[in-house]
Amino acid sequence: MLMRRICLGSLIWWLMLPWGYVTGETVADYLPLNSGNSWTYSVTGPYGTYTETVTVLPGTTEINGVPTKAIKFSGGLDDQTIEYWTNDQLGIRLHGGYVPYSDAGPGTLTFEPPIVYASRTMNIGEPVFSGGNVRLVFDNYGTFILNYESSSTLEGVETVTVPMGTYETVKIRDSDRIYGSILGEPYEDASSGSTWFVKYIGEVKETDEDDSGTEVYVLISTNVKPGPTAPVLPFLQLLLD
């Protein structure tokens, strides 16, 4: 998910009716942030092959006065990293994170305002933009204020096959950039990727792209139980063709 490329992937929850209107689904249907939910992924890329598990922790954590849900990573390159998300009427937002390992020691990131990865409602092809400050606090070096830019676009509907099965998904493309200066030296971290989500289940596939190459995440197991099956709309096959 997020800190893999600055921030977790993104989500989307849209269906297009055949007469041209767009109807929004409940945000929670595509990002089930219930305590105890977990997803395990097989990851391949320039750092080799490994597995990574993402778990929603109990309770909430307040970030700038907002109760958020903590998502913890276990295994792989992001082991013990934590991200703080909300999923409500304001959309799907990333508020910050905790990074246990870095050259500067353990640290926290806080986005002010939070990154919006998806609005409450979106149309296919419609972008969502975010920007502001990111506050970095590292044990070994202190506090730094940098800038961030983020954009996400709902690209459409796709059929995706992963070890867990074959799913009808929605695909979102996003890019992120953090820039500024640290200790008088210019700093920039940019990345992009695509994420595929399934209603009631969550993320089933993700690609992360940066200067080191492309990593691919595919879902191999989850304890999230699917909800009711969504009706198949007449236009769906046309979008998939």
Side-chain angles (χ1 to χ4, degrees):
M1 289 185 168
L2 157 76
M3 294 300 177
R4 304 201 277 241
R5 65 168 177 264
I6 299 177
C7 318
L8 224 166
S10 307
L11 297 179
I12 188 63
W13 54 93
W14 279 110
L15 294 174
M16 181 82 72
L17 291 178
W19 51 83
Y21 291 101
V22 176
T23 178
E25 296 290 325
T26 303
V27 174
D29 289 348
Y30 287 87
L31 182 59
L33 292 180
N34 299 320
S35 298
N37 281 359
S38 67
W39 303 262
T40 297
Y41 300 92
S42 175
V43 187
T44 58
Y47 305 106
T49 300
Y50 58 91
T51 60
E52 182 174 80
T53 297
V54 183
T55 303
V56 182
L57 300 182
T60 60
T61 301
E62 193 167 292
I63 305 290
N64 285 337
V66 178
T68 69
K69 293 297 292 182
I71 299 177
K72 186 175 183 178
F73 295 78
S74 301
L77 303 179
D78 307 306
D79 189 43
Q80 305 306 303
T81 293
I82 298 175
E83 299 172 352
Y84 301 98
W85 290 83
T86 52
N87 178 350
D88 53 28
Q89 296 295 326
L90 297 177
I92 297 171
R93 300 183 297 162
L94 173 66
H95 295 256
Y98 168 72
V99 180
Y101 315 113
S102 77
D103 293 340
T108 61
L109 299 82
T110 305
F111 297 99
E112 302 169 344
I115 297 177
V116 180
Y117 274 102
S119 301
R120 174 65 178 176
T121 59
M122 292 177 71
N123 298 310
I124 291 176
E126 175 187 353
V128 174
F129 299 102
S130 298
N133 295 328
V134 53
R135 178 183 296 271
L136 308 179
V137 182
F138 290 101
D139 287 2
N140 296 346
Y141 286 94
T143 300
F144 305 93
I145 306 298
L146 302 180
N147 305 302
Y148 83 82
E149 299 173 346
S150 176
S151 66
S152 302
T153 302
L154 170 61
E155 291 195 332
V157 180
E158 291 187 7
T159 300
V160 170
T161 298
V162 297
M164 278 286 293
T166 298
Y167 301 95
E168 303 302 331
T169 74
V170 288
K171 177 186 177 183
I172 198 164
R173 179 78 179 175
D174 68 273
S175 62
D176 304 282
R177 176 177 175 241
I178 291 179
Y179 61 97
S181 64
I182 297 178
L183 298 176
E185 296 294 327
Y187 175 87
E188 181 168 352
D189 186 5
S191 58
S192 60
S194 297
T195 311
W196 291 258
F197 286 90
V198 175
K199 190 173 184 180
Y200 302 123
I201 293 177
E203 176 186 324
V204 296
K205 182 181 177 181
E206 180 181 341
T207 61
D208 294 342
E209 305 155 14
D210 58 24
D211 292 340
S212 63
T214 300
E215 284 195 303
V216 179
Y217 298 73
V218 292
L219 185 67
I220 59 176
S221 66
T222 181
N223 65 358
V224 179
K225 303 300 182 183
T229 301
V232 177
L233 301 182
F235 76 98
L236 185 56
Q237 190 58 50
L238 296 176
L239 290 177
L240 297 175
D241 289 340

